Coordinates of all heavy atoms in Angstrom, one line a residue:
M1 N 96.2 84.9 116.4 CA 95.0 85.7 116.5 C 95.4 87.2 116.1 O 96.4 87.7 116.6 CB 94.5 85.6 117.9 CG 93.2 86.4 118.1 SD 92.6 86.2 119.8 CE 91.3 87.4 119.8
A2 N 94.5 87.8 115.3 CA 94.8 89.1 114.9 C 94.7 90.1 116.0 O 93.9 90.0 116.9 CB 93.9 89.5 113.8
T3 N 95.4 91.2 115.9 CA 95.4 92.3 116.9 C 94.3 93.3 116.5 O 94.2 93.6 115.3 CB 96.7 93.0 117.0 OG1 97.7 92.1 117.2 CG2 96.7 94.1 118.0
K4 N 93.5 93.7 117.4 CA 92.5 94.7 117.1 C 93.1 96.0 116.8 O 94.0 96.4 117.5 CB 91.6 94.8 118.4 CG 90.3 95.6 118.2 CD 89.5 95.5 119.4 CE 88.3 96.4 119.3 NZ 87.4 96.2 120.5
L5 N 92.6 96.7 115.9 CA 93.0 98.1 115.6 C 92.1 99.1 116.1 O 90.9 99.0 115.9 CB 93.1 98.3 114.0 CG 93.4 99.7 113.6 CD1 94.9 100.1 113.9 CD2 93.1 99.9 112.1
V6 N 92.6 100.0 116.9 CA 91.8 101.1 117.4 C 92.4 102.4 117.0 O 93.6 102.7 117.1 CB 91.8 101.0 119.0 CG1 90.9 102.1 119.6 CG2 91.2 99.7 119.4
T7 N 91.5 103.3 116.5 CA 92.0 104.6 116.1 C 91.0 105.7 116.5 O 90.0 105.4 117.2 CB 92.4 104.7 114.6 OG1 93.0 105.9 114.3 CG2 91.1 104.5 113.8
N8 N 91.1 106.9 116.1 CA 90.1 107.9 116.5 C 89.8 108.8 115.3 O 90.3 108.6 114.2 CB 90.6 108.8 117.6 CG 91.8 109.6 117.3 OD1 91.7 110.5 116.4 ND2 92.9 109.4 117.9
Y9 N 88.8 109.6 115.5 CA 88.2 110.4 114.4 C 89.1 111.4 113.7 O 88.8 111.9 112.7 CB 87.0 111.1 115.0 CG 87.3 112.3 115.9 CD1 87.1 113.6 115.5 CD2 87.9 112.0 117.2 CE1 87.4 114.6 116.4 CE2 88.2 113.0 118.0 CZ 88.0 114.3 117.6 OH 88.3 115.4 118.4
Q10 N 90.3 111.6 114.4 CA 91.2 112.6 113.8 C 92.1 112.0 112.7 O 92.8 112.7 112.0 CB 92.0 113.3 114.9 CG 91.2 114.1 115.8 CD 92.0 114.8 116.9 OE1 92.8 114.1 117.5 NE2 91.7 116.0 117.1
V11 N 92.1 110.7 112.7 CA 93.0 109.9 111.8 C 92.3 109.8 110.4 O 91.2 109.2 110.4 CB 93.4 108.6 112.4 CG1 94.3 107.8 111.4 CG2 94.1 108.7 113.7
K12 N 92.9 110.3 109.4 CA 92.3 110.3 108.1 C 92.7 109.1 107.3 O 93.5 109.2 106.4 CB 92.6 111.6 107.4 CG 92.0 112.8 108.1 CD 92.3 114.1 107.3 CE 91.6 115.3 108.0 NZ 91.9 116.5 107.3
H13 N 92.1 107.9 107.7 CA 92.4 106.7 107.0 C 91.1 106.1 106.5 O 90.0 106.5 106.9 CB 93.1 105.7 108.0 CG 94.5 106.0 108.3 ND1 95.3 105.4 109.2 CD2 95.4 106.9 107.7 CE1 96.5 105.8 109.3 NE2 96.6 106.8 108.4
C14 N 91.2 105.0 105.7 CA 90.0 104.4 105.2 C 89.1 104.0 106.3 O 87.9 104.1 106.2 CB 90.4 103.1 104.4 SG 91.2 103.4 102.8
V15 N 89.6 103.6 107.4 CA 88.7 103.1 108.5 C 87.9 104.3 109.1 O 86.8 104.0 109.7 CB 89.6 102.5 109.7 CG1 90.4 103.5 110.4 CG2 88.7 101.6 110.6
T16 N 88.3 105.5 108.9 CA 87.4 106.6 109.4 C 86.8 107.4 108.2 O 86.3 108.5 108.4 CB 88.3 107.6 110.2 OG1 89.5 107.9 109.5 CG2 88.7 107.0 111.5
C17 N 86.8 106.8 107.0 CA 86.3 107.4 105.8 C 84.9 107.0 105.5 O 84.5 105.8 105.6 CB 87.2 107.1 104.6 SG 86.7 107.8 103.1
D18 N 84.1 107.9 105.0 CA 82.7 107.6 104.7 C 82.6 106.6 103.5 O 81.6 106.0 103.4 CB 82.0 108.9 104.3 CG 80.6 109.0 104.7 OD1 80.2 108.5 105.8 OD2 79.8 109.5 103.9
F19 N 83.6 106.5 102.7 CA 83.5 105.7 101.5 C 84.0 104.3 101.7 O 83.9 103.4 100.8 CB 84.4 106.3 100.4 CG 83.9 107.7 99.9 CD1 84.8 108.7 100.0 CD2 82.6 107.9 99.5 CE1 84.3 110.0 99.6 CE2 82.2 109.1 99.1 CZ 83.1 110.2 99.1
W20 N 84.4 103.9 102.9 CA 85.0 102.6 103.2 C 83.9 101.7 103.6 O 83.1 102.0 104.5 CB 86.1 102.7 104.3 CG 86.9 101.5 104.4 CD1 87.8 101.0 103.5 CD2 87.0 100.6 105.5 NE1 88.5 99.9 103.9 CE2 88.0 99.6 105.2 CE3 86.4 100.5 106.7 CZ2 88.4 98.6 106.0 CZ3 86.7 99.5 107.6 CH2 87.7 98.5 107.2
S21 N 83.8 100.5 103.0 CA 82.8 99.5 103.3 C 83.2 98.4 104.2 O 82.4 97.4 104.4 CB 82.3 98.9 102.0 OG 83.3 98.2 101.4
G22 N 84.4 98.4 104.8 CA 84.8 97.4 105.7 C 84.0 97.3 107.0 O 83.4 98.3 107.4
S23 N 84.1 96.2 107.7 CA 83.4 96.1 109.0 C 84.2 96.8 110.1 O 85.4 96.6 110.3 CB 83.4 94.6 109.3 OG 82.7 94.4 110.5
R24 N 83.5 97.7 110.8 CA 84.1 98.5 111.8 C 83.1 98.9 112.8 O 81.9 98.9 112.6 CB 84.7 99.8 111.2 CG 83.7 100.6 110.4 CD 84.3 101.7 109.6 NE 83.4 102.3 108.6 CZ 83.6 103.3 107.8 NH1 84.8 103.9 107.8 NH2 82.7 103.7 106.9
N25 N 83.5 99.4 113.9 CA 82.6 99.8 115.0 C 83.1 101.2 115.5 O 84.3 101.5 115.5 CB 82.7 98.8 116.2 CG 82.2 97.4 115.8 OD1 81.0 97.3 115.4 ND2 83.0 96.4 115.8
V26 N 82.1 101.9 116.0 CA 82.4 103.2 116.6 C 81.8 103.3 118.0 O 80.7 102.7 118.2 CB 81.9 104.4 115.7 CG1 80.4 104.3 115.5 CG2 82.4 105.7 116.2
D27 N 82.5 104.0 118.9 CA 81.9 104.1 120.3 C 80.7 105.1 120.3 O 80.5 105.8 119.3 CB 83.0 104.5 121.3 CG 83.5 105.9 121.1 OD1 83.2 106.5 120.0 OD2 84.1 106.4 122.0
N28 N 80.0 105.1 121.4 CA 78.8 105.9 121.5 C 79.1 107.4 121.3 O 78.2 108.2 120.9 CB 78.1 105.7 122.8 CG 77.5 104.3 122.9 OD1 77.2 103.7 121.9 ND2 77.3 103.8 124.1
A29 N 80.3 107.8 121.6 CA 80.7 109.2 121.5 C 81.1 109.6 120.1 O 81.2 110.8 119.8 CB 81.9 109.5 122.5
G30 N 81.2 108.7 119.2 CA 81.5 109.0 117.8 C 83.0 109.4 117.7 O 83.4 110.2 116.8
V31 N 83.8 108.8 118.5 CA 85.2 109.2 118.6 C 86.2 108.1 118.2 O 87.1 108.2 117.4 CB 85.6 109.8 119.9 CG1 87.1 110.1 120.0 CG2 84.8 111.1 120.2
V32 N 86.0 106.9 118.9 CA 86.9 105.8 118.8 C 86.4 104.8 117.8 O 85.2 104.3 118.0 CB 87.2 105.2 120.2 CG1 88.1 104.0 120.0 CG2 87.7 106.2 121.1
V33 N 87.2 104.4 116.8 CA 86.8 103.4 115.8 C 87.7 102.2 116.0 O 88.9 102.3 116.3 CB 87.0 104.0 114.4 CG1 86.6 103.0 113.3 CG2 86.3 105.3 114.2
S34 N 87.1 101.0 115.8 CA 87.9 99.8 116.0 C 87.5 98.8 114.9 O 86.3 98.8 114.4 CB 87.7 99.2 117.4 OG 86.3 98.9 117.6
V35 N 88.4 98.0 114.6 CA 88.2 96.8 113.7 C 88.8 95.6 114.4 O 89.7 95.7 115.1 CB 88.8 97.0 112.3 CG1 88.2 98.2 111.6 CG2 90.3 97.2 112.4
S36 N 88.2 94.4 114.1 CA 88.6 93.2 114.8 C 89.9 92.7 114.3 O 90.7 92.0 114.9 CB 87.6 92.1 114.7 OG 87.3 91.9 113.3
D37 N 90.3 93.1 113.0 CA 91.5 92.6 112.4 C 92.0 93.7 111.5 O 91.4 94.0 110.5 CB 91.1 91.3 111.6 CG 92.3 90.7 110.9 OD1 93.4 91.4 110.9 OD2 92.2 89.6 110.4
P38 N 93.2 94.2 111.8 CA 93.8 95.3 110.9 C 94.1 94.9 109.5 O 94.4 95.8 108.7 CB 95.0 95.7 111.7 CG 95.2 94.8 112.8 CD 94.0 93.9 112.9
S39 N 94.1 93.6 109.2 CA 94.4 93.2 107.9 C 93.2 93.0 107.0 O 93.3 92.7 105.8 CB 95.2 91.8 107.9 OG 94.4 90.8 108.4
I40 N 92.0 93.2 107.6 CA 90.8 93.0 106.7 C 90.8 94.1 105.7 O 91.4 95.2 105.9 CB 89.5 93.1 107.6 CG1 89.4 94.5 108.2 CG2 89.4 92.0 108.6 CD1 88.0 94.8 108.7
K41 N 90.1 93.9 104.6 CA 89.9 94.9 103.6 C 88.5 95.3 103.4 O 87.6 94.5 103.6 CB 90.5 94.4 102.3 CG 92.1 94.3 102.3 CD 92.6 94.0 100.9 CE 94.1 94.1 100.9 NZ 94.6 93.8 99.5
G42 N 88.3 96.5 102.9 CA 86.9 96.9 102.6 C 87.0 97.7 101.3 O 88.0 98.3 101.0
K43 N 85.9 97.5 100.5 CA 85.9 98.2 99.2 C 85.8 99.7 99.4 O 85.0 100.2 100.3 CB 84.7 97.7 98.4 CG 85.0 96.4 97.8 CD 83.9 96.0 96.8 CE 84.2 94.6 96.2 NZ 83.1 94.1 95.4
C44 N 86.4 100.5 98.6 CA 86.2 101.9 98.5 C 85.0 102.2 97.7 O 84.9 101.7 96.5 CB 87.5 102.6 97.9 SG 87.2 104.4 97.7
L45 N 84.1 102.9 98.2 CA 82.9 103.3 97.4 C 83.0 104.7 96.9 O 82.0 105.3 96.4 CB 81.6 103.1 98.3 CG 81.5 101.7 98.9 CD1 80.2 101.7 99.8 CD2 81.4 100.7 97.9
G46 N 84.2 105.3 97.0 CA 84.4 106.6 96.5 C 85.2 106.6 95.2 O 85.0 105.7 94.3
K47 N 86.1 107.5 95.0 CA 86.9 107.6 93.8 C 87.7 106.4 93.4 O 87.9 106.1 92.2 CB 87.9 108.8 94.0 CG 88.7 109.1 92.7 CD 89.5 110.3 92.9 CE 90.4 110.5 91.7 NZ 91.3 111.7 91.8
W48 N 88.1 105.6 94.4 CA 88.9 104.4 94.1 C 88.2 103.1 94.0 O 88.7 102.0 94.0 CB 90.0 104.3 95.2 CG 90.8 105.6 95.2 CD1 90.7 106.6 96.1 CD2 91.8 106.0 94.3 NE1 91.6 107.7 95.7 CE2 92.3 107.3 94.6 CE3 92.4 105.4 93.1 CZ2 93.3 108.0 93.9 CZ3 93.4 106.0 92.4 CH2 93.8 107.3 92.8
R49 N 86.9 103.2 93.9 CA 86.0 102.1 93.7 C 86.5 101.3 92.4 O 86.8 102.0 91.4 CB 84.6 102.5 93.5 CG 83.6 101.5 93.2 CD 82.3 102.1 92.6 NE 81.7 103.0 93.5 CZ 80.4 103.0 93.9 NH1 79.6 102.1 93.5 NH2 79.9 103.9 94.7
P50 N 86.5 100.0 92.3 CA 86.1 99.1 93.3 C 87.2 98.5 94.1 O 87.1 97.3 94.5 CB 85.4 98.0 92.4 CG 86.3 98.0 91.2 CD 86.8 99.4 91.0
N51 N 88.3 99.2 94.2 CA 89.5 98.6 94.9 C 89.2 98.5 96.4 O 88.4 99.2 96.9 CB 90.7 99.5 94.7 CG 91.2 99.6 93.3 OD1 91.4 98.6 92.6 ND2 91.2 100.8 92.7
S52 N 89.9 97.5 97.0 CA 89.7 97.3 98.4 C 91.0 97.6 99.1 O 92.1 97.4 98.6 CB 89.4 95.8 98.7 OG 88.1 95.4 98.1
F53 N 90.8 98.2 100.3 CA 92.0 98.6 101.1 C 91.9 98.2 102.6 O 90.8 98.0 103.1 CB 92.0 100.2 101.1 CG 92.2 100.7 99.7 CD1 91.1 101.3 99.0 CD2 93.4 100.6 99.0 CE1 91.2 101.8 97.7 CE2 93.5 101.1 97.7 CZ 92.4 101.7 97.1
T54 N 93.0 98.2 103.2 CA 93.1 97.9 104.6 C 92.7 99.1 105.4 O 92.7 100.2 104.9 CB 94.5 97.4 105.0 OG1 95.4 98.4 104.6 CG2 94.8 96.0 104.4
P55 N 92.4 99.0 106.7 CA 91.9 100.2 107.4 C 92.9 101.3 107.5 O 92.4 102.5 107.6 CB 91.7 99.6 108.8 CG 91.5 98.1 108.6 CD 92.3 97.8 107.4
N56 N 94.2 101.1 107.5 CA 95.1 102.2 107.6 C 95.6 102.8 106.3 O 96.5 103.6 106.3 CB 96.3 101.7 108.5 CG 97.1 100.6 107.8 OD1 96.7 100.1 106.8 ND2 98.2 100.2 108.5
H57 N 95.0 102.4 105.2 CA 95.3 103.0 103.9 C 94.7 104.4 104.0 O 93.8 104.7 104.7 CB 94.6 102.2 102.8 CG 94.9 102.8 101.4 ND1 96.0 102.6 100.7 CD2 94.1 103.6 100.7 CE1 96.0 103.2 99.6 NE2 94.8 103.8 99.5
T58 N 95.3 105.3 103.2 CA 94.8 106.7 103.1 C 94.9 107.2 101.7 O 95.7 106.7 100.9 CB 95.5 107.6 104.1 OG1 94.8 108.8 104.1 CG2 96.9 107.8 103.7
C59 N 94.2 108.3 101.4 CA 94.3 108.9 100.1 C 93.7 110.3 100.2 O 93.1 110.7 101.1 CB 93.5 108.1 99.0 SG 91.7 108.5 98.9
P60 N 94.0 111.1 99.1 CA 93.6 112.5 99.2 C 92.1 112.7 99.1 O 91.6 113.8 99.3 CB 94.2 113.1 97.9 CG 95.2 112.2 97.5 CD 94.8 110.8 97.9
D61 N 91.3 111.7 98.8 CA 89.9 111.8 98.6 C 89.1 111.4 99.9 O 87.9 111.2 99.8 CB 89.4 111.0 97.4 CG 90.2 111.4 96.2 OD1 90.0 112.6 95.8 OD2 91.0 110.6 95.7
F62 N 89.8 111.3 101.0 CA 89.1 111.0 102.3 C 88.0 112.0 102.6 O 88.1 113.2 102.3 CB 90.2 111.1 103.4 CG 89.6 111.0 104.8 CD1 89.5 109.8 105.4 CD2 89.2 112.1 105.4 CE1 89.0 109.7 106.6 CE2 88.7 112.1 106.7 CZ 88.6 110.8 107.3
K63 N 86.9 111.4 103.1 CA 85.8 112.2 103.6 C 85.4 111.5 105.0 O 85.2 110.3 105.1 CB 84.6 112.1 102.7 CG 83.4 112.9 103.2 CD 82.2 112.6 102.2 CE 80.9 113.2 102.8 NZ 79.8 112.8 102.1
K64 N 85.3 112.3 106.0 CA 85.1 111.8 107.3 C 83.8 111.0 107.4 O 82.7 111.4 106.9 CB 85.0 112.9 108.4 CG 85.0 112.4 109.8 CD 85.2 113.5 110.8 CE 84.0 114.3 111.0 NZ 84.2 115.3 112.1
W65 N 83.9 109.8 108.0 CA 82.7 108.9 108.2 C 81.6 109.7 108.9 O 81.8 110.3 109.9 CB 83.2 107.7 109.0 CG 82.2 106.6 109.1 CD1 81.1 106.4 108.4 CD2 82.2 105.5 110.1 NE1 80.4 105.3 108.8 CE2 81.1 104.7 109.9 CE3 83.1 105.2 111.1 CZ2 80.8 103.6 110.7 CZ3 82.8 104.1 111.9 CH2 81.7 103.3 111.7
G66 N 80.4 109.5 108.4 CA 79.2 110.2 109.0 C 78.9 109.8 110.4 O 78.3 110.6 111.1
A67 N 79.4 108.7 110.9 CA 79.2 108.2 112.2 C 80.1 108.9 113.2 O 79.9 108.8 114.4 CB 79.4 106.7 112.3
L68 N 81.1 109.7 112.7 CA 82.0 110.3 113.6 C 81.7 111.8 113.8 O 81.1 112.4 113.0 CB 83.4 110.2 113.0 CG 83.9 108.8 112.7 CD1 85.3 108.8 112.0 CD2 84.0 108.0 114.0
K69 N 82.1 112.2 115.0 CA 81.9 113.7 115.3 C 82.8 114.5 114.5 O 83.9 114.2 114.2 CB 82.1 113.9 116.8 CG 81.0 113.2 117.6 CD 80.7 113.9 118.8 CE 79.5 113.3 119.5 NZ 79.1 114.0 120.7
Ligands
LIG101 S1 90.7 105.0 99.4 FE1 90.3 107.1 100.0 S2 88.2 107.6 99.5 FE2 88.4 105.3 99.4 S3 87.8 104.7 101.5 FE3 90.1 105.0 101.5 S4 90.4 107.1 102.2 FE4 88.2 106.9 101.6

């Protein structure tokens, strides 16, 4: 069984990026982000489209997810 990945709004990874299309959840405070499986991939809808990346990938074109504070 996969381990859940939990991170926060200060981490500039795909999982906290506005351009990432992977499945993720954010808490009510807009601070803690989680995914059910850290190995899942989501398409980048930004500069690196249509490549897919895991939640902990990062790049210089990161933009904070709008759901985050
Ligand atoms: S590759 Fe870069 S721009 Fe695309 S989702 Fe990940 S951090 Fe965001």
Side-chain angles (χ1 to χ4, degrees):
M1 183 176 168
T3 306
K4 186 174 177 178
L5 172 71
V6 179
T7 188
N8 67 61
Y9 70 111
Q10 293 179 315
V11 177
K12 296 180 178 180
H13 286 172
C14 289
V15 72
T16 52
C17 178
D18 214 38
F19 298 121
W20 195 67
S21 65
S23 178
R24 55 189 167 177
N25 295 299
V26 61
D27 70 344
N28 290 338
V31 173
V32 179
V33 183
S34 62
V35 296
S36 59
D37 180 349
S39 67
I40 63 162
K41 288 187 173 181
K43 284 186 180 174
C44 174
L45 303 178
K47 182 177 179 180
W48 302 99
R49 179 197 301 231
N51 294 308
S52 294
F53 299 105
T54 53
N56 63 357
H57 179 81
T58 189
C59 88
D61 303 297
F62 171 90
K63 177 186 171 191
K64 189 168 80 173
W65 186 20
L68 301 176
K69 292 213 169 180

